[in-house]
Every structure is written in C-alpha cells, then in structure tokens.
Amino acid sequence: IAKLGSQCTGVEADVSKVAELQKMVDAAVSTFGRIDILVNNAGIGPPNPAESVAEADFDRTLAVNLKGTFFVSQAVGRVMIRKGGGRIVNLGSIAGQQGSAVNGAHYAASKAGIGVLTKMAARELAPFGVTVNCVAPAAIDGPVMARLPRRLEHGDRVTLVEHLDELRSRLIIALAAIGVGFVVAFIFQDNILAWLEEPLPAEQQSNLITFGV
C-alpha cells in the first residue's frame, strides 16, 4: 500500500479483548486523524457439530465474531460520531439466517447475532451520519472452505461459488462509498447481479444483504 503512495499502518490485536481493540483504534486515529470506514471482517468458525462443541470453543467463537464486532463498532463509532459520520460494514453469513451444512451451530448463532446487531447499530448511529450494513455471503470457494469437512448426511447441499469472494469485496467497497447510504435488495443468481434502491428514513438505513445460490 505504501509503495502505491498511500498511507497505512498495521496493528496486531485480539478483537475479543476490549483493551487490545481499543489500542488498534487509537493507533488508526493517531496515524490518520479519523476513521471513515470500518469493515468488521475478523471471524472464526470451528466446524464442530453441536453435540461435540466444547464450552471453550463456544465462548471463543462468540467472543471473536459477535463480541468483537460489537466492541470494535462501539470504539470506532465514537470516533465517527465526533468526526461527523462514517461507514460500518459487518461480515455476517447466510448461516446466521438459515443454518449451515458446513459450520457449527455456535458459528451460525454468532452470525445471527451480527445481523441483529447491525440493524440496532444502524438505528442508533443513523442520526450521526453513520450507516451500518451487513454482508452475509454463502459458502465461498477457497482455501478456508477446502479445510472444512462438509457434513451432508441429511440431504444438505453445499454449493461453492468460485467468484463470490471477489463479489463480496466489491459489495463491501460499494457499501463503504460515501454516496451509498442504503441498499434495499441485492440478488445473486446465475451470475446476474441486480440492485434495487429506494429512499428510506435515516433510522431504517440498514440492510442484511445475503448472496449465494
């Protein structure tokens, strides 16, 4: 990034620990003076079936995925409020809406929580010019999925989409753009993309955007 002429900084932090994530946010503000865009992309997903999930695995998954998203958003949201606005994009999952044949129930629960958190945060932060959206992709073909066992005992079907990762990235960038405050519908089917936009009251400018097959 620096070689391309842009400014950057890197901070190692565990988002499940508030003290560490606060140092991360403070470092960003110290370097750039403000934070305009936050993408909550940190997440883990141990694929254990419910009957074998240990308490430590459950706690760790929710701590990283849900607690981390909440407290990073809280810390960055305070910065955005002071600066007059910003964009927050959370990474959910289709598993948080309909379960998954791949990830465990504890993972799905954490992602379902992110969906509701997104809607609540959007309502609370909208008056300050901060929009909050959630991108909830289906299974993405890549190295992470290649390492996960696919449990298909009960007729479940897992479809991996080769270019979904790129699509996800492009959507995150679009939602982070200053000119985009809301997206009412986003449809992915047979490699056809469609956007449907419609004005909404500020307090309703949040969407759980799901894409898959």
Side-chain angles (χ1 to χ4, degrees):
I1 295 174
K3 289 181 179 180
L4 294 174
S6 296
Q7 193 175 8
C8 65
T9 188
V11 181
E12 183 177 347
D14 183 343
V15 297
S16 71
K17 298 178 180 178
V18 175
E20 289 193 24
L21 69 85
Q22 186 62 57
K23 290 181 180 179
M24 176 182 67
V25 174
D26 291 343
V29 175
S30 176
T31 301
F32 304 108
R34 60 187 296 134
I35 300 177
D36 296 309
I37 300 167
L38 166 65
V39 179
N40 281 306
N41 191 42
I44 59 175
N48 312 55
E51 66 271 15
S52 64
V53 174
E55 182 179 6
D57 289 336
F58 183 94
D59 291 346
R60 181 63 178 163
T61 300
L62 267 70
V64 173
N65 296 0
L66 185 54
K67 177 185 175 183
T69 296
F70 179 90
F71 282 104
V72 174
S73 296
Q74 180 190 73
V76 174
R78 290 168 177 164
V79 176
M80 291 179 171
I81 289 173
R82 292 198 302 269
K83 297 298 183 178
R87 298 287 185 266
I88 297 176
V89 182
N90 297 326
L91 266 293
S93 169
I94 198 171
Q97 301 172 54
Q98 62 185 42
S100 170
V102 179
N103 300 104
H106 53 318
Y107 172 84
S110 72
K111 292 299 185 177
I114 288 175
V116 177
L117 171 60
T118 298
K119 293 178 180 296
M120 289 299 299
R123 289 181 178 276
E124 293 184 8
L125 294 175
F128 304 100
V130 179
T131 63
V132 188
N133 283 280
C134 179
V135 177
I140 297 174
D141 195 8
V144 174
M145 283 299 301
R147 293 195 299 267
L148 294 178
R150 299 169 190 174
R151 303 192 304 277
L152 307 174
E153 292 90 344
H154 303 291
D156 294 321
R157 180 174 62 91
V158 176
T159 302
L160 302 181
V161 184
E162 292 184 359
H163 302 293
L164 205 53
D165 196 26
E166 178 184 354
L167 181 59
R168 175 186 60 178
S169 300
R170 292 174 61 189
L171 179 57
I172 291 171
I173 293 172
L175 289 172
I178 299 302
V180 177
F182 54 86
V183 179
V184 174
F186 181 83
I187 304 167
F188 175 75
Q189 185 176 6
D190 298 330
N191 295 321
I192 298 175
L193 305 181
W195 301 79
L196 300 175
E197 296 190 359
E198 179 179 316
L200 291 175
E203 68 274 10
Q204 296 181 19
Q205 290 186 8
S206 69
N207 291 277
L208 193 66
I209 302 167
T210 304
F211 55 101
V213 293

